[in-house]
Amino acid sequence: MSDNILEFQHVTKEFPGVLALNDVSFTVRQGSIHAICGENGAGKSTLMKVLAGIYAHGTYTGKVLYKGEALQFTGDSIKQAIETGIAIVHQELALVPQITVGENIYLGREPAQNGIINWNKLYNDTRLLLEKHHLDIPFAAVTGSLSVGKQQLVEIAKVLSENAEVLILDEPTSALTESEVDTLMTILNELRKQGKTCIYISHKLEEVFRIADLVTVFRDGGVVGTRPTADITSAQIVAMMVGREMTERFPTVPRAPGETLMTVKHWSIESAEQTNQKVVDDVSFTLRKGEILGLAGLMGSGRSELALSLFGEYGRKSSGNISIEGKKVEINSARDAMENGISLVPEDRKRMGLVIEQSILKNISLPNLDRFSSFFSLNKHLEIQECEAMAQDIAVKAPTLHALVSSLSGGNQQKVVIAKWLMSNPKILILDEPTRGIDVGAKYEIYKLMNELTLQGISILMISSELPEILGMSDRIMVMHEGKLGGILDRDEATQEKVMALATGIA
Amino acid sequence: MLAQKLNNLIRQNLKTYTMILALALIWLFFGYMTDWIFFSSRNMSNLFRQMTIVSFLSIGMVMVIVTGNIDLSVGSVVGLVSAITAYLQAVLLPPLLESIMPGADILARGLASTAITIVIGLLVGVIIGIWQGWVVAYLGVPAFIVTLGGMLIFRGGVLGVTQGKTIVPIEDSFRLIAQGYLPNKVGWLLGIATVIIIFLLILKNRKLRKEYGFTLPPLYTDLLRASSYSGLVILFVAVMNSYRGIPNPVLLMAVVALIFTYITNNTKLGRHAYALGGNMEATRLSGINIRRNVFTIFVLMGLLCGVSGIVLTGYVAAGTTGGGVNYELEAIAACVIGGTSLMGGEGKIFGAIVGSLIMASLLNGMSVMNMPIFWQFIIRGIVLILAVYVDVLSKKKKA
């Protein structure tokens, strides 16, 4: 018993109408890395919020034992949890972008005398902390100027500085580059040696196998089982998560891409951050009818910028030319892009894709209001009819079209974004990270949808950071490295190693 | 099942119901405190007439706030329009018209003067709207600053036009806009026409829903809804007619409110405004011209300031240096009490009208109670904060 640092006993948490956690019981060994897997909405994050005190004692039933004693956080429960030694690294960044790394790490705990902050001590502590954990982060930099990956590491450093015994990492790598993931793995190994316990929530099974000792799988608010990672395969985990054996992660259909639809020649764009720098530098490629062209590259390789500029919305000067169906086109705004049959499902759906506090209906119809309006007024009946048909076509799961988008799961939100862009009848659909942060089942549905669209003759340019996804879905793979085109590979010749070599510039 | 449906309905419209409940409580309180003089048809008529000037502003303000902007200049713009219209009526137009149409009938000359004044008054509002909309939307200066500057600029304009004096006289025909009443018969005709239109619209909507293959709610619920709206219309006409009839500005306000409700719900302009207030980035990436949208809304705000200024001149029958002072605060307060979110993306015209009515009721009720002016300011301020606090509370509960 003594080596169990945490023990969940029959934890049940109910929200109005939803049983988020249903009689959850399992134990976590001290000094282990314990992975938790499950589809979105399976209850992982809810359980972690119970553990970290975000849901105070009494709002759930059952017990959580920490070192054999029941946790009873009430009142200022988050602070109590931190003081006990339980700290959470959030899925969404919880840093103030305008202040420095050091200030963020010690926010609320600034070393001070009589209310006057000792800045030297603060920055020195920060430096020592970062050095101790081999984190390559400038301690006095303004946090917002760092890459998202670095910011995530800052957040981890912050948690470490709180002398946490139990670290909860909720999807820590979703925004990290390969090398940053390596750094994180090293840090976690280090922490394990120091006897600290990590709870590691992730969709990425590769990471789970790489780092975790044990894995607990959740489904529909309950625990399906806990296994040592040495005794289980990723297919078995997926089967436990979805409750069915998943024979293939990527549905395949025989595709025969037709003739060239879009040609991009010598495409360059200036950087929005630094003058005289190009984020995309002399990139040329073609896109065929009914093809999925994968676009791979590390963070900062210019993938998303390329996508935005093809859609006319990067906001900086571009040079080079685009022709669609043999005709040269000028695209200077989203409207131009839509008129030329290009749609973009952007990378960050909450920030760029959706009006989160509006209904599904209003989100789907937003770019398409012209279809429903004559003179001044909208034909709302027609709007509902067409949006309903579209939502049904791509299987958006919601009680009604009037439900707020914020109430949907990530996978369904992504489907709403896709629905909104399919309604404008695009010839070319640019998908930027179409499956980021959504669960396995929903991913599979989105892949199937992509296949269907290509069969209808729509061409897809898909940007993704997940190599298996790129390799599994694309007909051809285009790899970018520091703004330049690294190379274009055919499906048959592409391997993870080849793509990575092009992306890192060593090939 | 029915209980659950009812529960959902109440939860969805919680804001509307709390607002109406608050209004009812305020009215009952004042009624009790004033020996029910507050509810006399004369006072009710006054109350509705008093609320109109600010309610035009709050209608426009809802749209401005929904896009995530604010307009602090409306009070000064109303003052300027009022001053200019008064100046036209009292100083500029009489000699001009005398020379253009010599020997014309006094009545005809008055009507011509009024017509010209209305057009110019609206035009002044629109031009100011174009100016402010251009600076906000196309030059990218925050609306708070542009309209704060505008507040000073146009107040300066008021002082320039009036030279610090009160401008009189105003033509009778112009005063009718704000001071006149509809004859009782016309009032009843209008009331009955409204009732017929309500029923026709609801039936037409049912027919359309059927054509598009949607499920229909049972007929009796629609009829019940139509009847209750009709009942309110009839009650309103009856109360107004038992004094002198429906005040002209109240009719004008109802028409303007209906037009703008339609704009917000049923036009691209309205839908785009709500979307860009909710998420500007996503709206831009949806191919929507955000700048043009914000610009148009400021122009509409200007137009409504024009309407409000004209009614103000008619109401006080003069142009004064203090015309429109603090109206921006009254309008913003009315919006916020009516459930408009200052973060943008959320707000209703109907809410703003009820909000205006609440603000006007407070002022009217406290005057009837003979409360000292200083208390009236203090209490209205507290009510504003309280209203937002209730909103914050209800949001916390939801989370």
Side-chain angles (χ1 to χ4, degrees), chain A residues 23 39 130 194 227 276 298 347 356 384 404 436 473:
Chain A
D23 194 24
E39 299 193 24
L130 295 176
Q194 292 170 20
R227 306 264 192 289
N276 296 326
L298 302 174
E347 168 183 29
I356 205 90
I384 295 178
L404 294 187
R436 172 177 287 175
M473 290 303 298

Side-chain angles (χ1 to χ4, degrees), chain B residues 119-335:
Chain B
V119 171
I120 292 180
L122 293 178
L123 213 59
V124 169
V126 168
I127 289 168
I128 290 174
I130 288 173
W131 151 252
Q132 298 202 123
W134 178 66
V135 178
V136 171
Y138 291 97
L139 300 189
V141 183
F144 186 90
I145 298 302
V146 174
T147 58
L148 188 65
M151 188 177 173
L152 293 172
I153 295 170
F154 305 123
R155 185 56 58 190
V158 175
L159 293 174
V161 172
T162 58
Q163 295 294 321
K165 287 176 232 145
T166 298
I167 305 176
V168 281
I170 304 296
E171 300 284 349
D172 284 344
S173 52
F174 198 87
R175 283 154 61 160
L176 272 180
I177 299 169
Q179 295 181 357
Y181 298 87
L182 288 181
N184 277 6
K185 269 186 194 154
V186 179
W188 279 122
L189 271 176
L190 251 164
I192 290 163
T194 311
V195 168
I196 291 171
I197 289 171
I198 289 174
F199 274 92
L200 283 181
L201 279 180
I202 281 189
L203 290 178
K204 187 185 161 209
N205 191 39
R206 283 185 72 87
K207 199 175 134 233
L208 276 175
R209 284 179 71 101
K210 209 170 177 182
E211 265 171 37
Y212 281 94
F214 302 141
T215 49
L216 285 172
L219 184 63
Y220 73 89
T221 57
D222 272 346
L223 289 182
L224 211 66
R225 209 151 52 104
S227 315
S228 53
Y229 292 153
S230 306
L232 282 176
V233 171
I234 298 294
L235 180 70
F236 180 76
V237 175
V239 170
M240 291 299 131
N241 273 358
S242 69
Y243 182 53
R244 286 187 188 166
I246 300 172
N248 291 339
V250 174
L251 180 65
L252 185 61
M253 175 187 81
V255 171
V256 169
L258 282 178
I259 292 173
F260 277 84
T261 305
Y262 190 82
I263 289 178
T264 52
N265 289 333
N266 291 298
T267 67
K268 284 199 288 176
L269 176 74
R271 289 284 285 272
H272 290 170
Y274 283 88
L276 86 88
N279 186 342
M280 178 146 25
E281 186 79 2
T283 309
R284 186 170 61 82
L285 286 177
S286 297
I288 286 154
N289 191 334
I290 287 175
R291 293 177 168 191
R292 197 174 59 199
N293 190 281
V294 172
F295 173 77
T296 311
I297 282 173
F298 269 94
V299 174
L300 288 177
M301 180 80 245
L303 176 70
L304 287 167
C305 288
V307 175
S308 180
I310 288 167
V311 175
L312 176 66
T313 307
Y315 189 73
V316 297
T320 64
T321 53
V325 167
N326 281 350
Y327 282 9
E328 61 283 334
L329 302 180
E330 299 256 346
I332 293 168
C335 291

Side-chain angles (χ1 to χ4, degrees), chain A residues 24-36:
Chain A
V24 169
S25 303
F26 68 99
T27 56
V28 178
R29 260 200 344 254
Q30 168 127 32
S32 68
I33 296 181
H34 195 119
I36 293 183

Side-chain angles (χ1 to χ4, degrees), chain A residues 153-403:
Chain A
L153 294 179
V154 172
E155 200 157 329
I156 290 168
K158 176 172 178 161
V159 169
L160 290 174
S161 76
E162 288 161 349
N163 290 319
E165 283 295 313
V166 178
L167 269 79
I168 303 164
L169 295 116
D170 196 350
E171 292 288 347
T173 60
S174 58
L176 300 194
T177 63
E178 294 283 327
S179 71
E180 283 166 337
V181 171
D182 287 342
T183 314
L184 178 69
M185 294 293 158
T186 320
I187 294 171
L188 292 181
N189 264 323
E190 191 84 11
L191 291 172
R192 173 159 51 185
K193 275 185 211 145
Q194 292 170 20
K196 304 212 167 178
T197 312
C198 293
I199 294 180
Y200 193 92
I201 300 177
S202 182
H203 282 126
K204 296 182 187 164
L205 297 183
E206 289 88 349
E207 286 168 12
V208 169
F209 281 103
R210 190 167 155 195
I211 192 82
D213 305 302
L214 287 160
V215 53
T216 295
V217 179
F218 272 66
R219 186 172 73 227
D220 302 330
V223 172
V224 184
T226 302
R227 306 264 192 289
T229 47
D231 304 348
I232 195 167
T233 65
S234 63
Q236 283 170 312
I237 293 185
V238 171
M240 284 165 83
M241 277 160 65
V242 296
R244 61 183 178 270
E245 197 78 38
M246 191 96 94
T247 46
E248 45 174 10
R249 277 172 70 188
F250 302 102
T252 45
V253 287
R255 261 204 300 269
E259 67 248 49
T260 302
L261 178 68
M262 176 170 76
T263 311
V264 177
K265 273 192 189 145
H266 307 299
W267 193 251
S268 299
I269 42 178
E270 283 175 13
S271 164
E273 278 113 36
Q274 281 149 315
T275 43
N276 296 326
Q277 270 216 345
K278 288 178 177 168
V279 274
V280 173
D281 192 358
D282 195 24
V283 169
S284 303
F285 66 95
T286 58
L287 182 63
R288 290 174 296 171
K289 202 166 156 57
E291 173 183 49
I292 297 182
L293 176 62
L295 174 48
L298 302 174
M299 280 254 185
S301 62
R303 298 171 310 180
S304 298
E305 289 81 356
L306 174 65
L308 270 177
S309 70
L310 292 177
F311 195 61
E313 287 287 347
Y314 182 64
R316 291 287 146 158
K317 256 204 311 209
S318 56
S319 60
N321 57 61
I322 307 175
S323 46
I324 293 173
E325 290 169 338
K327 269 182 287 181
K328 242 177 105 173
V329 293
E330 282 285 329
I331 297 174
N332 292 317
S333 68
R335 178 121 316 245
D336 291 350
M338 286 164 71
E339 273 158 20
N340 285 299
I342 302 178
S343 284
L344 168 73
V345 173
E347 168 183 29
D348 185 340
R349 61 178 166 268
K350 279 189 187 158
R351 194 168 66 80
M352 302 158 88
L354 295 166
V355 185
I356 205 90
E357 291 300 333
Q358 285 194 348
S359 65
I360 299 172
L361 174 75
K362 286 185 179 171
N363 269 287
I364 294 181
S365 64
L366 182 59
N368 308 304
L369 287 177
D370 282 332
R371 296 164 67 95
F372 313 122
S373 48
S374 49
F375 299 112
F376 262 131
S377 60
L378 287 174
N379 183 340
K380 289 190 172 180
H381 296 92
L382 187 66
E383 181 190 6
I384 295 178
Q385 196 181 39
E386 290 206 5
C387 291
E388 197 138 72
M390 179 55 76
Q392 230 153 42
D393 267 2
I394 68 168
V396 176
K397 285 188 207 91
T400 91
L401 274 189
H402 299 286

